[in-house]
């Protein structure tokens, strides 16, 4: 049952705290083993010691999606016994027992590992996660386990999670045996199988709230977390089209020419992104148009809109003394700066309002569709790229806490301007954190290997995050194609060409590209890329329905296979394949690898491209495999859009329905009752039927196509 | 003037504290800006807030080398104004102003960077320093700057040093300019040149002592630090010979056979190291001989000693339940274990005594010359390879503090056993920290690139550390040769063949080596390696004299060029060349690089091998350069030993004196009055003269050789 009093108290406390100028410690129960108190269906809270006031939940700005929990199974009792915890001079320590074989996933946007048992993860925002330490653009102190629960540690500090690798000392001597193990390897294997404990240290805090999310399986635990965060978002249709970021020095004429070229060459595109050069000063930012490059920004945006393009603007939040924002931000900024600019106190309402209001008036109002917040992810050791952990902010938070929420609260500052205007945004941000689920922002970076990009996408689904494995700096044509294939099967399909004047398919080499020395046969690669971008345009209705499920019941639109099949041991380590919605499985190809090993979950699967049934659960595909391997559940009925110039074009509203296998898995806007289009297939007559409900989009069905043979 | 009362109080406090079972906070002066109090000649202390009791200085076990300060220049006033510091809820923060152009070096064994201005360094013991964050086997919260001072932050915690990269926010708006910088690069360059501040955050502590070491230059600041730590060590002669670690599964017969082969094939060798297989259990350790492999350890050691070999034993300190030590260590170990073994509370005297006493009785007494302590460097994110930061120890320290001293206090436990027996040791350890100067232990690792190894050697000299760039896992013959050349010009010349049965010069490939499939022409490579190892044997007297200076006046025997020439801008970034003693400069070659760029300090230099004068300060050598580039100051008179089977052999006491240039820089045991041999050269008569002082070693001079032409 819902404990509404508990919930509303929690939520109200957070809002009140975020409005107070200076946070003080809230009084909760004393230190010790803590019992679980039910706060929402299948969600419990336990408090150890006296938590800090500024935490992700206590300072939350979006309420839980309370009305949507009824879709999840009822769970009577918390899945864990009372929480063992103690307050120490260092902070506080929590202990959770872990039976043999239990596996752990999550911790936000992890790039370098997947299954976490036996490892240590530190939740620290850091732009350079080149080691598997937990550092990431968007780490989240939330995990799920195969026992079927999820746990959120409500802290904005650098929480350490020891996932069974911290082990109490032995207590008794044993007899010596000769010829024993003289290597650590076996000990490490044992650590994965022995019973152990998940041990969590929250630094500095004299107490902490912990939230427990019941299953019965990991899948429902993730759904509950997402609904607790406020529920998933549905992007605007254009957000699911194709994005292209132009070279950073391009002026309005150059950008307009590029846009025209896309239309002339029939390369679909919805969003054009501008990089630093649109501003009078960047690193740090002025947020003011450079009139030498953009003499009439409003007209420029309007002209692009007439061709069906949205405009997205790069920025970081560090505010240069020449910015019109400077004077009003100064009193609500941190005591340390970055690149000679102010660090807005986004933990406080005032800085969010000042920053947001300026963006609303000067940029949103002229038609800018969204932003890309760079450099908010604490490039901690790059040298001068971030603010120190000991920074102090007027709201009362310190630099360590601010790092955890800087990207997240920026999202709030921007999003509220779009909400005020009843407009949608779909934007980019390089850092996020706890309870980010409802925010219409997608994470990105450019530092990583293609495999790491895919692993990040797989992990993102455990913690309410969206991830864009953007394409740039491809090593060669094969790499460009393989990366582009991945990104069109991701939450945001973007090529980031900030450093080259011509699209990468014309010339991959940076120097040659900028000297307009194009590849002799560039049209061949352009044709290939046009086709791949076309796949994205076909997918938009399917993607929309996957996001509708995210909003309706918290099911992440992009997720690990293990989340749908939590007891399938064969999937426990699969970190290079993922589900989109309930029907589609993607297994990206990686350039330069000899073959692609694929594992499918139990059940019948078809090849997405040919409809042919797949015979085996484990198999390999050769490197020359032409198209990215995608599989659909046999029986699926999938509506694919026709390829238009952009996602809002009339062509894009025409659908061809593909039927896989016996077509028994009818289509209901992604399986969610009450939204969109309903399609079903009658295997005997080999005919489909269409039904629109009240909220259905204005699609027309151009035809039905049965692929392969029913199996 | 020496403030003896202040000094003895500090030292006594440390000893007292280390003997108490539970540390409590000591009361010092209140928080705020702190004045410098003189504690030793040219050394001042400032205290902010109430320091923790367990710190490197307060728990020190070696006293300062008080009688040796008189050799350094007198300095009347502290080189910095009063220390700005404040206690916060997070710990404490210190601020030191930094004029434009000031450069910073140090922080212990840094592998990935050299000049630190503009960077952030966190002092955290971590075995996997693959990013330039400050993490290292042996980080030290001590730095020196070109202003001519050194600063030690007396903390065992993860101290953050912001070396000018944390910058207060701007305070005034400025007018916008069009076409401004749209890249962070220029801002980064400015950060190195603008005035700024060194900002230091000590976590968790409610106060901290800071020690300031005067110059006038960085060189004397480092000397003062080393004398403050207790002064440098002089290794036993055998320690400076050649070391070889045998394959881990070898039994007494195999090891004895290997030793015999070294003698037969005239490969000099002083120390044979045994790897994990000597024990009944390793990972964790039993510290008990496996009688199946070593039925009579005493006889085995004694047989090797008869051939002039010392035996060194691998171990880690985590104590397996089958160890004879287990029951006595249990009450003085941490609450968490590693690999199923106990973590000895080395911060407490009891654990050191129990651990040391066992080693003394069972291993030192049968003739073991030293140990190699592995895995003491907190492989924090490897998974189960270390104890958590929140561990608790009976002495009152936590895991974070223990990591900072675990390797260091282990050294104490072992060294005290040798001192009790009036024997010398020269041992290996994988972690160390503050005030390590007097301990006869050399750091090592196997994780790094050859260039990183050399940079570590260069940096080690700033902080009283010794570093062994051990040879193993060479990529090819060239790499083996280049690495071997480097290691013979280092504090400890070792090949670590723990994973191969035959020496690497017989076969580099691991699998083939262990299958006894030797290279066809292995004798050629063996000859090359024999020659290089021979260089080491020739160097022993010179190395000894460099160490004698270390003991006499704190001058590090291996050090960066900038330390001897602190105002020479051309040397500010030179991290791949180093001085040995006052006469010799080494610039190792790296396999696979097209050329070797070399920068020499001002003054006249000769090629070590040929004696030819070097004409230019900056030049390049080709990749095919036959021998490692070594240069000596023109005028040097260097005694080189003859190559014997080991450093204590009669051949090694015969010296040939090499004279470079005009021979005007006479030899006095490394330039230190009062120790060793004195040699001088008369340029007119082209004759040398020899003088032994009272403590002189029993060397005989076999001849004099003037190299090149006097310039």
């Amino acid at each position: 049952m819902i404990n509404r009093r508990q919930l509303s108290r929690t939520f109200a406390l957070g809002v009140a705290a975020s409005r107070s100028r200076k946070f003080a410690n809230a009084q909760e129960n004393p230190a010790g083993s803590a019992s679980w108190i039910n706060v929402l269906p299948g969600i419990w809270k336990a408090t150890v010691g006296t938590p800090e006031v500024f935490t992700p939940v206590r300072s939350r700005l979006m309420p839980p999606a309370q009305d949507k929990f009824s879709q999840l199974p009822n769970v009577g009792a918390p899945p864990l016994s009372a929480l063992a915890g103690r307050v120490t001079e260092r902070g506080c320590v929590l202990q959770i027992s872990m039976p043999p074989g239990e596996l752990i996933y999550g911790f936000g946007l992890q790039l370098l590992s997947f299954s976490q048992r036996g490892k240590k993860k530190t939740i620290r925002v850091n732009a350079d996660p080149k080691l598997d330490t937990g550092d990431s653009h968007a780490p989240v102190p939330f995990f799920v386990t195969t026992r079927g629960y999820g746990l959120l540690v409500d802290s904005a500090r650098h929480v350490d999670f020891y996932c069974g690798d911290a082990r109490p000392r032995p207590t008794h001597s044993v007899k010596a045996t000769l010829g024993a193990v003289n290597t650590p390897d076996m000990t490490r294997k044992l650590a994965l199988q022995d019973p152990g404990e998940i041990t969590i240290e929250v630094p500095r805090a004299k107490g902490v709230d912990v939230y427990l999310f019941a299953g019965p399986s990991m899948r429902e635990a993730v759904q509950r977390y997402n609904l607790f965060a406020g529920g998933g978002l549905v992007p605007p249709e254009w957000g699911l089209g194709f994005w292209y970021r132009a070279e950073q020095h391009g002026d309005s004429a150059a950008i307009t020419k590029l846009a025209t070229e896309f239309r002339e060459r029939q390369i679909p595109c919805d969003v054009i992104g501008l990089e630093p050069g649109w501003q009078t000063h960047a690193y740090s930012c002025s947020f003011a148009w450079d009139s030498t490059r953009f003499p009439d920004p409003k007209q420029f945006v309007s002209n692009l809109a007439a061709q069906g393009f949205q405009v997205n603007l790069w920025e970081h939040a560090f505010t240069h003394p020449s910015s019109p924002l400077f004077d009003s931000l100064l009193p609500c900024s941190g005591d340390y700066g970055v690149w000679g600019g102010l660090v807005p106190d986004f933990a406080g309402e005032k800085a969010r309002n000042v920053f947001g209001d300026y963006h609303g008036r000067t940029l949103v109002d002229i038609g800018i569709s969204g932003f890309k917040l760079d450099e908010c992810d604490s490039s901690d050791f790059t040298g001068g790229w971030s603010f120190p952990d000991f920074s102090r902010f007027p709201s009362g938070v310190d630099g360590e806490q601010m790092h955890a929420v800087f990207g997240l609260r920026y999202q709030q500052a921007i999003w509220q301007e779009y909400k005020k205007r009843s407009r949608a945004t779909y934007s980019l941000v390089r850092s996020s954190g706890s309870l980010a689920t409802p925010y219409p922002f997608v994470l990105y970076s450019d530092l990583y290997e293609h495999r790491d990009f895919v692993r990040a996408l797989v992990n993102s689904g455990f913690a309410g995050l969206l991830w864009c494995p953007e394409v740039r700096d491809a090593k060669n044509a094969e790499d460009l194609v393989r990366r582009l294939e991945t990104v069109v099967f991701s939450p945001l399909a973007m090529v980031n060409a900030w450093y080259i004047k011509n699209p990468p398919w014309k010339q991959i080499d940076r120097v040659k590209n900028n000297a307009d020395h194009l590849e002799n046969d560039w049209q061949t690669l352009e044709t290939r890329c046009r086709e791949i971008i076309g796949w994205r345009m076909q997918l938009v209705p399917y993607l929309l329905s996957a996001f509708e499920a995210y909003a309706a019941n918290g099911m992440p639109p992009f997720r690990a296979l293990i989340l749908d099949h939590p007891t399938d041991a064969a999937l426990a380590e699969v970190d290079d394949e993922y589900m989109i919605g309930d029907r589609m499985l993607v297994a990206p190809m990686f350039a330069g690898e000899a073959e692609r090993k694929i594992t499918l979950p139990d059940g019948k699967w078809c090849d997405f491209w040919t409809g042919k049934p797949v015979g085996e659960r484990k198999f390999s595909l050769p490197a020359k495999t032409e198209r990215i391997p995608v599989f659909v559940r046999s029986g699926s009925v999938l509506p694919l859009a026709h390829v238009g110039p952009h996602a809002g074009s009339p062509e894009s509203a025409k659908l061809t329905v593909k039927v896989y296998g016996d077509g028994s898995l009818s289509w209901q806007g992604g399986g969610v009752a009450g939204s969109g289009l309903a399609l079903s297939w009658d295997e005997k007559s080999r005919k489909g039927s269409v039904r629109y409900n009240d909220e259905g989009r204005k699609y027309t069905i151009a035809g039905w196509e049965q692929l392969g043979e029913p199996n």
Side-chain angles (χ1 to χ4, degrees), chain A:
Chain A
M1 297 300 100
I2 304 177
N3 182 333
R4 288 187 187 275
R5 202 168 62 87
Q6 181 71 20
L7 169 74
S8 59
R9 181 165 159 259
T10 303
F11 182 53
L13 189 86
V15 172
S18 73
R19 285 186 185 146
S20 73
R21 194 182 158 282
K22 192 87 181 176
F23 296 114
N25 277 341
Q27 291 299 318
E28 292 278 326
N29 60 359
S33 173
S35 54
W36 296 108
I37 297 164
N38 186 242
V39 291
L40 275 168
I43 305 180
W44 290 262
K45 172 186 170 183
T47 301
V48 171
T50 305
E52 298 182 280
V53 170
F54 188 83
T55 69
V57 176
R58 284 165 185 257
S59 70
R60 65 185 300 164
L61 298 166
M62 289 290 291
Q66 294 193 50
D67 54 326
K68 292 170 180 166
F69 282 93
S70 58
Q71 297 171 66
L72 297 175
N74 196 28
V75 179
L80 292 179
S81 55
L83 180 67
R86 65 179 194 272
V87 178
T88 73
E89 293 200 1
R90 301 171 46 83
C92 46
V93 176
L94 313 172
Q95 286 167 290
I96 298 159
S97 68
M98 188 172 57
E102 181 178 12
L103 296 177
I104 299 170
Y105 301 91
F107 303 115
L109 192 78
Q110 295 299 321
L111 288 132
L112 300 175
S113 62
F114 179 59
S115 176
Q116 303 297 352
R117 183 163 180 154
K119 299 171 191 166
K120 175 184 173 185
K121 288 284 168 292
T122 297
I123 301 306
R124 183 175 70 160
V125 176
N126 186 354
D128 304 307
K130 288 175 192 158
L131 292 172
D132 186 25
T133 59
D135 279 8
S136 150
H137 305 286
V140 180
F142 174 71
F143 65 84
V144 291
T145 90
T146 48
R147 269 169 87 187
Y149 75 89
L151 200 88
L152 173 69
V153 176
D154 183 28
S155 174
R157 302 210 175 272
H158 299 162
V159 179
D160 283 329
F161 290 83
Y162 298 82
C163 302
D165 66 325
R167 300 163 74 80
R169 69 176 173 190
T171 53
H172 296 93
S173 62
V174 300
K175 281 199 178 169
T177 49
L178 299 185
V181 186
N182 284 301
T183 152
D185 295 341
M186 189 175 293
T187 321
R188 292 173 72 188
K189 282 177 199 156
L190 285 173
L192 299 177
Q193 292 304 328
D194 277 2
E197 64 178 31
I198 300 169
T199 328
I200 302 164
E201 183 172 37
V202 184
R204 297 192 167 90
K206 291 302 168 202
V208 68
D209 295 322
V210 178
Y211 290 85
L212 176 63
F213 301 84
S217 85
M218 290 198 289
R219 176 170 165 146
E220 293 84 8
V222 166
Q223 287 178 275
R224 282 185 218 274
Y225 169 82
N226 284 331
L227 294 180
F228 178 71
L233 65 128
V234 180
E237 207 166 25
W238 56 259
L240 296 177
F242 181 68
W243 296 46
Y244 188 91
R245 304 201 78 84
E247 200 276 333
Q248 62 172 340
H249 300 105
D251 58 14
S252 58
I255 306 292
T256 305
K257 180 163 169 273
L258 181 82
T260 304
E261 181 186 322
F262 272 66
R263 291 291 180 256
E264 284 173 359
R265 299 200 64 81
Q266 295 183 26
I267 293 164
C269 186
D270 285 84
V271 184
I272 299 260
L274 304 188
E275 289 287 312
W278 69 272
Q279 298 183 51
T280 52
H281 200 280
Y283 291 87
S284 52
C285 282
S286 66
F287 313 108
W289 292 92
D290 186 324
S291 59
T292 57
R293 292 196 181 110
F294 295 89
D296 189 345
K298 189 173 179 181
Q299 189 63 48
F300 164 75
V301 174
S302 169
N303 288 348
L304 285 177
Q307 295 183 71
F309 289 101
Q310 309 287 332
V311 176
N312 175 290
L313 295 181
W314 175 98
E315 64 183 19
H316 59 69
F318 309 124
T319 304
H320 190 256
S322 72
S323 172
L325 256 172
F326 184 86
D327 288 332
S328 47
L329 259 185
L330 185 59
C332 47
S333 64
D335 56 348
Y336 276 74
V338 178
W339 290 307
L342 300 174
V343 181
D345 181 9
F346 285 142
E349 193 174 15
K350 189 177 170 202
R352 288 197 301 271
N353 287 347
V354 166
F355 193 89
D357 178 66
Y358 173 85
H359 279 68
R361 281 187 291 108
T362 66
L363 301 168
V364 179
D365 275 347
I366 67 164
I368 297 300
S369 72
F371 298 86
K372 167 190 171 184
L373 186 71
D374 220 14
E375 325 293 11
C376 54
D377 48 354
S378 187
S379 301
D380 199 19
F381 292 97
T382 307
W385 283 49
S386 196
F387 49 91
D389 285 349
F390 62 79
S391 299
R392 293 171 292 190
F393 291 86
S395 64
V397 308
D398 64 27
E400 178 188 13
Q401 294 170 308
M402 182 59 85
H403 283 304
V405 298
F406 194 67
L408 193 65
R409 291 291 175 265
Y410 163 88
Q411 295 171 45
Q412 180 77 30
I414 294 297
W415 189 25
Q416 69 192 20
E417 296 303 317
Y418 285 94
K419 286 200 281 191
K420 272 183 206 166
R421 291 162 176 78
S422 300
R423 280 173 56 189
T425 184
Y426 198 49
S427 284
L428 288 154
V429 67
R430 223 167 81 177
S431 179
S432 200
S434 302
L435 308 186
T437 313
Y439 291 85
F441 285 75
V442 181
L443 292 154
Y444 69 96
S445 174
D446 46 19
L447 280 177
Y448 311 105
E449 291 296 314
H450 191 184
R451 275 200 168 270
D452 294 344
F453 266 29
V454 172
R455 191 180 299 109
L457 183 50
V458 172
N459 279 325
S460 66
F462 290 117
L465 302 175
L466 299 172
W467 167 250
C468 165
E470 66 170 21
V471 178
R472 70 155 110 161
D473 284 347
K475 287 172 203 138
N476 49 43
E478 183 198 4
D479 194 33
L480 176 66
V481 163
R482 292 312 190 189
R483 285 174 180 269
L484 191 62
E485 285 181 333
T486 298
V487 88
V488 303
F489 285 91
S490 86
L492 195 151
M494 183 167 78
V495 168
N496 182 355
W498 70 272
Y499 63 104
I500 44 175
K501 279 163 56 185
N502 299 286
W505 44 81
K506 287 184 165 180
Q507 175 57 263
I508 284 172
D509 182 88
R510 179 176 184 160
V511 174
K512 289 180 184 167
N513 188 304
N514 286 324
D516 291 324
H517 292 155
L518 307 186
E519 279 290 332
N520 283 335
D521 187 28
W522 61 264
Q523 291 88 346
T524 304
L525 187 55
E526 186 200 49
T527 299
R528 184 97 174 88
C529 292
R530 182 190 294 113
E531 183 199 357
I532 294 167
I533 295 166
W535 302 341
R536 177 66 176 193
M537 306 311 286
Q538 296 178 278
L539 278 176
V540 172
Y542 181 78
L543 293 172
L544 270 175
S545 77
F547 275 98
E548 281 161 3
Y550 196 29
N553 61 27
M555 174 64 68
F558 293 80
R559 58 187 185 265
L561 307 189
I562 189 78
L563 209 49
D564 288 39
H565 305 268
T567 59
D568 189 341
L571 305 177
E573 306 285 341
V574 177
D575 62 356
D576 56 2
E577 305 174 33
Y578 53 93
M579 294 296 296
I580 306 180
D582 289 338
R583 301 282 190 264
M584 187 177 289
L585 184 155
V586 183
M589 300 289 293
F590 305 100
E593 297 194 359
E595 58 168 12
R596 189 11 159 141
K597 288 182 184 169
I598 291 173
T599 303
L600 298 181
D602 257 339
K604 289 184 180 175
W605 293 86
C606 300
D607 182 288
F608 169 71
W609 306 104
T610 65
K612 285 184 188 160
V614 181
E616 294 167 295
R617 283 196 61 187
K618 293 198 179 207
F619 54 95
S620 290
L621 294 175
K624 65 176 170 29
T625 300
E626 194 191 345
R627 285 175 293 201
I628 180 172
V630 179
F631 305 92
V632 295
R633 287 191 198 283
S634 184
S636 295
V637 175
L638 296 187
L640 296 180
H642 292 198
V643 180
H646 59 95
S649 65
E651 293 91 324
S652 303
K654 292 179 194 153
L655 309 181
T656 292
V657 185
K658 307 247 176 173
V659 178
Y660 293 86
D662 63 7
S664 58
L665 300 174
S666 63
W667 174 262
Q668 293 192 329
V672 183
S675 76
L677 187 67
L679 303 167
S680 58
W681 176 255
D682 181 62
E683 178 58 20
K684 284 185 186 161
S685 65
R686 302 218 165 189
K687 282 191 179 164
S689 58
V690 183
R691 189 169 52 80
Y692 297 93
N693 69 12
D694 292 343
E695 301 170 51
R697 290 171 192 274
K698 298 290 173 285
Y699 290 122
T700 59
I701 306 300
W704 295 72
E705 186 182 342
Q706 190 171 26
L707 288 153
E709 286 302 308
N711 62 345

